[in-house]
């Protein structure tokens, strides 16, 4: 079927093989029935949800609340003895091909919604999403390690359309300390395809920003990501890992030049699609390599105009998306970096373009660093084009392998130190219920004894005297509690070990019969129920 192109450059009337995640379903109201429009490639099918189905869903949510309450009696031992686990379930450029990663990609604007959906799962307390061109990772705090992994994996399968069996072939799983070290490595640029690249730190910061005000972005996971930002900054300031480091954008330019005949570097006609952060970096690196003229296609002219102001010695020609394929016909090298959810170039578009110039050998070069991809894999079968994506950047990155490993070793010592500090902070959270219970226990005694004292003194006591007695009792209590409280706090900065702090906690629990294990379980259940109720209300 012949393809038509809309004014924004998207292909219309073309069926793409790419599965579309839940984020790309647009709800519509038809005859008072809510119908999600489920995209099948570039086609969509309406699936009405009748009122009966809606009632069934509501009943299912109610039963979920009841199931959580049952935890108190059926699984109390497991949920109090086993601490909630931090888990990362991920797909990265190191383990997963781009055609799988792009189906799981979640746009930044949908991260809060994803967190809410994840925390609606029975065993997930907190969550965060990190989705970039090189990775899609979900971080959760789970009541049960194995149940949590199963629920998140099923959710990923449902939203991407990829069977669990296939997803399990590519995913990686990390728990607690290993998960902590992983996000610290990611933030420091040690896990990047391009070692030390700076864009990933900005993306980790964006996770924190996107999570603000979202119920499921709780104390543990938000603390983890905030600490990861600190680690990323520290590694870059205390090591030279970022010195001379290339980014995905610069690697894309290097790859394009590697694939072109050297004699054509100065004359090849360049087209850059997208003028966002990555697109701007592509333009800068092209200029650094000696390119003095290029065409930039973008939705709005403002960003391109701003880039032109910065690079006044370079001829940058702006074109709107409506002229996308016209510009492609006049280009030898096309570098794409847009947030389009559907391919901008399919086989039908490219095979109708005139051949590239003889200086580049007549082959049109596509370098696609977008996730999801802007250039369909079907284009690569054409004899007149060559297509490269983010996975192909490994060829560029492999050049300085020894130097990269040396820099990574320098940064690893910092990662290990910061991991110990974070783990100590998280361990110290275990003592919070004991601290609360002990304070409440002593406060009840204080209030009762003050009331006894005041009743014995009669009605003639003044407000000033009453306040003096109350202040005296509070002062005595605070001084007595100071020692025990100090021995219940451990943040990794003093000589007291975490195990010593936990021993102190158990001793106080026994001495005062605080029953904090039941308290922990009640708090977990209460928090989970409130979380689900807020989701239902929203």
């Amino acid at each position: 079927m012949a393809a038509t192109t809309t004014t924004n450059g998207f292909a219309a009337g073309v069926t793409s093989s790419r599965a579309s995640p839940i984020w790309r379903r647009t709800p519509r109201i038809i005859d008072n029935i809510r119908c999600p429009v489920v995209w099948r490639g570039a086609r969509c099918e309406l699936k009405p949800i009748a009122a009966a189905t809606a009632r069934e869903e509501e009943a299912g949510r109610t039963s979920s609340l009841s199931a959580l309450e049952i935890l108190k009696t059926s699984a109390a031992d497991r949920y109090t003895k086993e601490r909630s686990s931090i888990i990362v379930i991920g797909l990265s450029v190191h383990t997963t091909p781009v055609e799988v990663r792009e189906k799981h990609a979640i746009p930044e604007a949908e991260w809060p919604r994803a967190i809410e959906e994840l925390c609606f799962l029975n065993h997930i307390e907190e969550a965060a999403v990190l989705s970039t061109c090189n990775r899609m990772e979900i971080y959760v705090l789970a009541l049960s390690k194995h149940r949590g992994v199963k629920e998140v994996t099923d959710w990923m399968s449902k939203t991407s359309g990829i069977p669990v069996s296939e997803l399990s072939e590519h995913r990686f799983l990390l728990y607690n300390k290993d998960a902590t070290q992983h996000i610290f490595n990611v933030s420091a640029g040690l896990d990047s395809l391009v070692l030390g690249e700076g864009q990933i730190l900005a993306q980790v910061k964006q996770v924190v920003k996107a999570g603000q005000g979202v119920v499921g972005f709780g104390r543990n996971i938000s603390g983890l990501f905030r600490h990861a930002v600190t680690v990323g900054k520290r590694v870059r300031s205390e090591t030279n890992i970022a010195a001379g480091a290339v980014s995905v954008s610069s690697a894309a330019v290097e790859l394009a030049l590697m694939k072109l005949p050297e004699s054509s570097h100065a004359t090849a006609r360049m087209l850059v699609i997208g003028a966002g952060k990555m697109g701007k970096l592509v333009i800068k690196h092209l200029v650094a390599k000696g390119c003095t003229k290029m065409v930039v296609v973008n939705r709005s002219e403002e960003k391109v105009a701003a880039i032109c102001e910065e690079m006044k010695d370079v001829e940058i020609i702006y074109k709107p998306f409506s002229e996308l394929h016209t510009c492609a016909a006049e280009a030898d090298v096309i570098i794409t970096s847009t947030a389009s959810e559907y391919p901008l170039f399919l086989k039908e578009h490219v095979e109708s373009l005139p051949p590239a110039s003889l200086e580049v050998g007549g082959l049109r070069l596509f370098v696609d660093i977008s996730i999801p991809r802007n250039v369909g894999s079907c284009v690569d079968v054409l004899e007149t084009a060559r297509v490269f994506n983010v996975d192909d950047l490994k060829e560029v990155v492999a050049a300085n392998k020894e130097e990269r490993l040396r820099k990574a070793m320098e940064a690893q010592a910092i990662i290990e130190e910061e991991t110990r500090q974070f783990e100590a902070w998280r361990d110290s959270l275990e003592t919070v219920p004991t601290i609360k219970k002990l304070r409440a226990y002593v406060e009840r005694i204080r209030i009762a004894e003050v009331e006894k004292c005041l009743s014995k003194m009669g009605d003639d006591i003044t407000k000033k005297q009453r306040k003096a007695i109350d202040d005296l009792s509070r002062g005595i209590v605070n001084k007595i509690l100071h020692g025990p409280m100090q021995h219940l706090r451990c943040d990794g900065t003093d000589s007291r070990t975490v195990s010593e702090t936990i021993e102190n906690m158990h001793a106080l629990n026994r001495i005062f019969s605080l029953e904090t294990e039941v308290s922990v379980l009640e708090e977990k259940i209460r928090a989970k129920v409130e979380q689900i109720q807020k989701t239902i209300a929203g």
Side-chain angles (χ1 to χ4, degrees):
M1 169 169 128
T4 58
T5 306
T6 61
T7 55
N8 64 3
F10 288 175
V14 178
T15 301
S16 168
S17 60
R18 181 184 301 155
S20 182
I22 198 168
W23 325 114
R24 295 161 201 159
R25 300 175 185 174
T26 306
R28 295 181 184 174
I29 305 297
I30 298 178
D31 296 332
N32 296 319
I33 301 176
R34 188 174 177 82
C35 305
V37 179
V38 184
W39 289 94
R40 307 294 184 197
R43 298 175 303 189
C44 63
E45 302 166 2
L46 289 176
K47 290 194 173 181
I49 300 176
T53 306
R55 285 195 297 272
E56 287 173 9
E57 289 184 353
E58 187 64 32
R61 290 176 175 179
T62 304
S63 65
S64 294
L65 296 179
S66 302
L68 285 166
E69 294 290 358
I70 292 171
L71 290 179
K72 245 182 185 180
T73 53
S74 67
D77 187 66
R78 179 172 74 244
Y79 288 99
T80 55
K81 300 291 186 186
E82 179 185 337
R83 185 174 73 167
S84 295
S85 299
I86 289 180
I87 307 170
V88 56
I89 300 124
L91 304 169
S92 81
V93 67
H94 307 298
T95 63
T96 313
V98 64
E99 56 266 23
V100 176
R101 294 201 312 276
E102 68 184 359
K103 291 176 183 177
H104 289 275
I106 301 176
E108 187 180 302
E110 295 290 349
W111 289 357
R113 179 176 165 189
I115 291 171
E116 290 178 355
E117 289 193 9
L118 286 163
C119 289
F120 192 77
L121 303 175
N122 280 343
H123 292 83
I124 304 303
E125 297 178 88
E126 301 174 17
V129 173
L130 176 60
S131 183
T132 73
C133 62
N134 283 332
R135 67 186 70 249
M136 206 298 279
E137 298 175 353
I138 293 175
Y139 293 78
V140 297
L141 182 73
L143 284 164
S144 168
K145 184 186 295 183
H146 302 297
R147 284 175 170 79
V149 168
K150 183 181 184 306
E151 288 174 358
V152 173
T153 303
D154 288 345
W155 181 86
M156 292 173 69
S157 173
K158 179 182 176 183
T159 58
S160 66
I162 293 180
V164 170
S165 57
E166 184 180 345
L167 176 59
S168 299
E169 291 177 13
H170 299 291
R171 75 177 183 191
F172 65 87
L173 299 172
L174 294 170
Y175 304 96
N176 296 316
K177 183 179 178 181
D178 291 336
T180 299
Q181 281 192 314
H182 175 73
I183 186 58
F184 289 179
N185 280 321
V186 168
S187 186
L190 300 185
D191 193 65
S192 296
L193 186 62
V194 180
L195 187 83
E197 57 107 352
Q199 193 170 7
I200 186 62
L201 178 56
Q203 289 162 334
V204 172
K205 288 180 182 177
Q206 196 57 34
V207 173
V208 176
K209 184 177 179 181
Q212 289 179 355
V214 180
V215 175
F217 192 63
R219 177 169 56 183
N220 287 266
I221 296 297
S222 65
L224 176 66
F225 272 84
R226 287 189 173 90
H227 205 125
V229 172
T230 301
V231 172
K233 291 178 179 177
R234 185 182 168 195
V235 166
R236 286 170 174 80
S237 65
E238 295 183 21
T239 73
N240 65 344
I241 194 169
V246 290
S247 63
V248 171
S249 299
S250 66
V253 172
E254 287 287 345
L255 180 64
L257 295 178
M258 283 171 58
K259 301 302 178 182
L260 288 175
E262 192 170 345
S263 59
S264 69
H265 285 189
T267 57
R269 299 171 297 173
M270 297 288 180
L271 170 61
V272 178
I273 303 174
K277 292 177 182 177
M278 294 182 75
K280 183 178 179 179
L281 286 173
V282 166
I283 295 168
K284 285 186 174 181
H285 288 297
L286 282 171
V287 173
K289 292 295 180 180
C291 180
T292 58
K293 180 180 178 180
M294 69 190 78
V295 176
V296 178
V297 171
N298 196 54
R299 298 188 190 285
S300 63
E301 190 174 0
E302 288 78 10
K303 287 184 177 179
V304 181
I307 295 170
C308 290
E309 282 296 313
E310 289 184 40
M311 307 173 193
K312 294 183 179 179
D313 297 332
V314 182
E315 186 180 356
I316 299 175
I317 303 168
Y318 164 76
K319 294 291 182 180
F321 251 98
S322 57
E323 298 182 33
L324 175 68
H325 295 118
T326 302
C327 294
E330 299 171 357
D332 299 318
V333 179
I334 300 171
I335 303 178
T336 72
S337 61
T338 81
S340 172
E341 296 173 359
Y342 304 98
L344 304 180
F345 293 98
L346 296 174
K347 181 181 176 183
E348 295 89 334
H349 304 130
V350 179
E351 65 184 353
S352 63
L353 300 178
S357 62
L358 294 176
E359 286 87 344
V360 299
L363 283 175
R364 182 168 282 103
L365 189 66
F366 290 87
V367 181
D368 183 3
I369 55 176
S370 306
I371 295 290
R373 287 173 292 176
N374 290 165
V375 183
S377 55
C378 53
V379 175
D380 207 24
V381 303
L382 298 174
E383 295 182 358
T384 57
R386 295 182 70 188
V387 180
F388 300 93
N389 57 52
V390 287
D391 287 1
D392 297 306
L393 300 182
K394 294 173 184 176
E395 185 178 344
V396 178
V397 175
N400 300 315
K401 191 172 183 179
E402 287 186 14
E403 178 66 13
R404 292 169 68 242
L405 290 174
R406 188 185 66 78
K407 290 179 177 179
M409 289 179 67
E410 291 177 13
Q412 202 59 51
I414 296 174
I415 300 288
E416 290 174 2
E417 178 190 336
E418 293 287 351
T419 299
R420 285 194 298 271
Q421 287 191 16
F422 177 79
E423 288 298 303
W425 171 77
R426 191 163 172 250
D427 285 334
S428 71
L429 296 181
E430 284 196 44
T431 67
V432 171
T434 296
I435 291 173
K436 288 181 178 179
K437 282 275 185 177
L438 181 57
R439 278 202 168 277
Y441 172 78
V442 175
E443 180 65 9
R444 285 196 299 272
I445 295 174
R446 185 194 71 81
I447 292 172
E449 293 304 313
V450 167
E451 288 301 320
K452 281 183 188 177
C453 174
L454 293 175
S455 64
K456 289 177 181 178
M457 295 178 71
D459 298 332
D460 297 334
I461 188 171
T462 65
K463 286 185 178 180
K464 186 175 180 180
Q465 290 172 326
R466 184 184 292 271
K467 185 177 184 302
I469 293 170
D470 191 70
D471 289 346
L472 174 65
S473 66
R474 289 181 188 277
I476 293 171
V477 165
N478 288 337
K479 287 186 182 296
I480 292 173
L481 285 180
H482 178 72
M485 292 302 178
Q486 285 294 100
H487 285 79
L488 286 178
R489 292 191 173 97
C490 175
D491 59 5
T493 59
D494 54 22
S495 59
R496 190 180 304 113
T497 64
V498 173
S499 60
E500 184 182 341
T501 302
I502 300 301
E503 285 176 12
N504 295 336
M505 178 189 75
H506 289 312
L508 285 168
N509 287 342
R510 288 193 301 272
I511 292 168
F512 295 101
S513 302
L514 299 178
E515 298 181 352
T516 54
E517 288 186 353
V518 175
S519 174
V520 169
L521 180 60
E522 288 176 346
E523 284 187 15
K524 284 183 177 182
I525 293 173
R526 189 181 300 112
K528 188 66 186 168
V529 170
E530 287 176 358
Q531 203 173 65
I532 292 176
Q533 286 174 337
K534 285 181 181 178
T535 304
I536 293 172

